[in-house]
Amino acid sequence: EISPPAVLRGNASEIMALAGAAGGGKGVDSTEGSDAALEAAKSLAAKYGCVVCVSGATDYVMGPDANAKVMTCPHGHEMLTKVTAGGCLISSVIAAFVCSRPEGTSVQESAALACTYYGLAAEVAMKTSAGPGSFRVNFLDCLYTLSKDNCDIPVR
């Protein structure tokens, strides 16, 4: 028997498939909105005792406790769907935030903060991008440089 992950992240179709629910997908691309996977995500969080993130236009972050509040992140940009490996990258950002979280910050809070940081970086990057090629480069640069001092987008 192996230990469960601290965080399980996927798009709606991936989370629904992992939970055994019907969901459509085209390869790794989701054909469902992130809100369609909320029940599946809650089920997985309870079953494995881990945080579950459903990424999409709005990111949802479920805690392992049935009474935990569902955290949301409305930040991001549709251009993220036009570049390859966005899902892999947000998983890496979540991992970095979770493993370096300050004492007293929960795994769920860290995952939600990671989604917010990632989404804000996408919004800032899109301001100077003409299309997917320039967005990809600008987005990677924003992930590297974004701070409260150079982000003019209010957190929602």
Side-chain angles (χ1 to χ4, degrees):
E1 187 172 315
I2 61 172
S3 297
V7 180
L8 178 62
R9 195 235 34 105
N11 65 38
S13 295
E14 292 166 336
I15 295 298
M16 291 169 72
L18 285 171
K26 180 181 174 187
V28 295
D29 297 328
S30 184
T31 59
E32 302 285 346
S34 53
D35 59 337
L38 289 174
E39 289 306 313
K42 289 177 187 175
S43 171
L44 289 169
K47 180 177 181 177
Y48 295 109
C50 67
V51 170
V52 177
C53 297
V54 184
S55 55
T58 297
D59 299 323
Y60 295 96
V61 183
M62 278 18 119
D65 180 358
N67 298 325
K69 181 180 176 187
V70 176
M71 297 180 173
T72 61
C73 172
H75 292 284
H77 195 277
E78 185 179 354
M79 191 60 73
L80 284 167
T81 66
K82 308 294 183 207
V83 296
T84 302
C88 296
L89 182 55
I90 191 170
S91 294
S92 298
V93 171
I94 291 169
F97 270 65
V98 168
C99 72
S100 64
R101 70 186 185 278
E103 190 172 325
T105 302
S106 72
V107 172
Q108 183 184 14
E109 291 166 330
S110 297
L113 289 169
C115 291
T116 301
Y117 182 83
Y118 187 88
L120 288 171
E123 291 177 22
V124 170
M126 195 57 212
K127 288 182 174 188
T128 57
S129 301
S134 58
F135 173 76
R136 181 179 173 151
V137 171
N138 292 336
F139 179 54
L140 290 174
D141 286 345
C142 281
L143 285 172
Y144 181 73
T145 62
L146 188 67
S147 73
K148 64 182 179 180
D149 298 326
N150 64 10
C151 180
D152 61 353
I153 298 171
V155 175
R156 300 186 294 273

